[in-house]
Amino acid sequence: MELKDILNLIDRFEQSASVSMTIKLGDDELSLKKAEAYAPKTETIVAPQPAPAAAAPAVQSAVPADDQTSTPVRGDTINAPLVGTFYHAASPDDPPYVTVGQSVKKNETIGLIEAMKMMSEVPAPFDCVIEEILVDNGQLAAYDEPLMRVRKL
């Protein structure tokens, strides 16, 4: 490699989001690594952006849901273990995990919650029958918000 090629690679590497790079040409090898302080700056800039968008709807959707479920308090509920988007099925083409009237065993998955691009299964905390599904598919659920009204078995 010639010096001008090496300098050109260094310039491009510094302008990129890459943290490390290794190039091998025959017997020549060039390894470039950015200081660790560079990576957190990129993460800090990206991470806060989704949070405000997720936080505002959670508060708005939690208030009406609590109002709806506070009136018909017949039976127990399965509540959201974390804040996130609730899904009835693993994908839009799949059937829902549970339906109204279905019996569910303890630890059986009743839905999914997506938070920070991570999917978490929501298990039934006890054997029960689903009496009412309180959260629509794709709706934001607040922490401890009732997802389903159930009857313990």
Side-chain angles (χ1 to χ4, degrees), residues 17-31:
S18 298
V19 177
S20 66
M21 176 176 77
T22 302
I23 299 175
K24 293 181 183 179
L25 294 174
D27 294 333
D28 297 332
E29 182 176 328
L30 175 66
S31 292

Side-chain angles (χ1 to χ4, degrees), residues 40-77:
K41 288 182 185 173
T42 302
E43 293 170 12
T44 304
I45 292 169
V46 174
Q49 293 174 351
V59 172
Q60 293 171 356
S61 68
V63 174
D66 288 342
D67 290 345
Q68 293 171 1
T69 57
S70 62
T71 306
V73 183
R74 297 178 318 190
D76 296 299
T77 59

Side-chain angles (χ1 to χ4, degrees), residues 8 11 27 34 52 55 82 92:
N8 187 23
D11 277 343
D27 294 333
K34 292 183 181 174
L82 58 128

Side-chain angles (χ1 to χ4, degrees), residues 110-129:
I110 59 130
L112 297 173
I113 290 189
E114 178 185 11
M116 298 181 67
K117 300 191 183 202
M118 299 275 300
M119 292 293 200
S120 299
E121 292 182 349
V122 179
F126 40 74
D127 292 352
C128 60
V129 174

Side-chain angles (χ1 to χ4, degrees), residues 69 74-81 86 98 102-111 113 121-135 141-152:
T69 57
R74 297 178 318 190
D76 296 299
T77 59
I78 298 176
N79 299 342
F86 182 75
V98 295
Q102 180 178 344
S103 293
V104 178
K105 298 281 185 197
K106 181 178 180 177
N107 294 325
E108 188 175 331
T109 301
I110 59 130
I113 290 189
E121 292 182 349
V122 179
F126 40 74
D127 292 352
C128 60
V129 174
I130 306 298
E131 291 188 335
E132 184 179 4
I133 298 174
L134 304 170
V135 179
Y143 172 73
D144 207 32
E145 177 180 346
L147 301 172
M148 298 182 186
R149 189 169 50 84
V150 298
R151 180 174 34 91
K152 285 185 180 179

